[in-house]
Amino acid sequence: YKIPPLIDLLIYKFNVTLIPNDSVCIDESMVPFLRRLLFRQYNASKRHHYGIKIFKLYTTDVYTSKYKIYSGKEASDNISVATKVVFELLSDYLDFGRTLYADN
């Protein structure tokens, strides 16, 4: 309950500083974290196996404009987690003719 206001303030400041151009990218990254945490993730293919998964929306000049911290199961019956994350990150930029790049 203490962290979301800080995250919302950071995202607001990121978006005020720079509006993304016509090309945006969504990527995930893992922040290393070994202590106990309910939403800590394990990924054997990453260099740091345990950590906090973050989905980021950034521009071609690698400026992060939005991000979402993955905190556990979010999938509904008919929408996958990946689809939900993409639509949540792009909600402000839909129908503006932008090109989205992603790795997977």
Side-chain angles (χ1 to χ4, degrees):
Y1 71 94
K2 292 181 180 180
I3 295 175
L6 175 65
I7 292 173
D8 293 340
L9 178 67
L10 285 173
I11 290 173
Y12 173 75
K13 293 291 185 179
F14 290 160
N15 287 325
V16 167
T17 305
L18 178 73
I19 296 173
N21 53 7
D22 60 346
S23 298
V24 294
C25 182
I26 291 182
D27 196 16
E28 70 175 28
S29 62
M30 186 81 76
V31 176
F33 192 83
L34 294 175
R35 298 181 185 221
R36 289 183 58 157
L37 189 62
L38 290 175
F39 53 90
R40 183 181 69 163
Q41 297 288 309
Y42 173 76
N43 191 343
S45 65
K46 298 284 185 180
R47 180 176 169 195
H48 301 284
H49 299 299
Y50 289 98
I52 302 169
K53 187 184 287 190
I54 299 175
F55 297 99
K56 299 183 289 188
L57 175 73
Y58 57 91
T59 62
T60 54
D61 54 353
V62 195
Y63 181 83
T64 301
S65 61
K66 280 183 128 179
Y67 62 93
K68 177 174 178 22
I69 298 173
Y70 180 69
S71 59
K73 294 182 180 179
E74 297 180 8
S76 62
D77 295 334
N78 54 0
I79 299 175
S80 68
V81 173
T83 304
K84 188 174 180 180
V85 166
V86 168
F87 278 115
E88 188 173 324
L89 290 176
L90 288 175
S91 62
D92 298 335
Y93 307 116
L94 291 176
D95 297 328
F96 287 106
R98 289 187 166 82
T99 306
L100 173 66
Y101 296 97
D103 57 356
N104 291 352

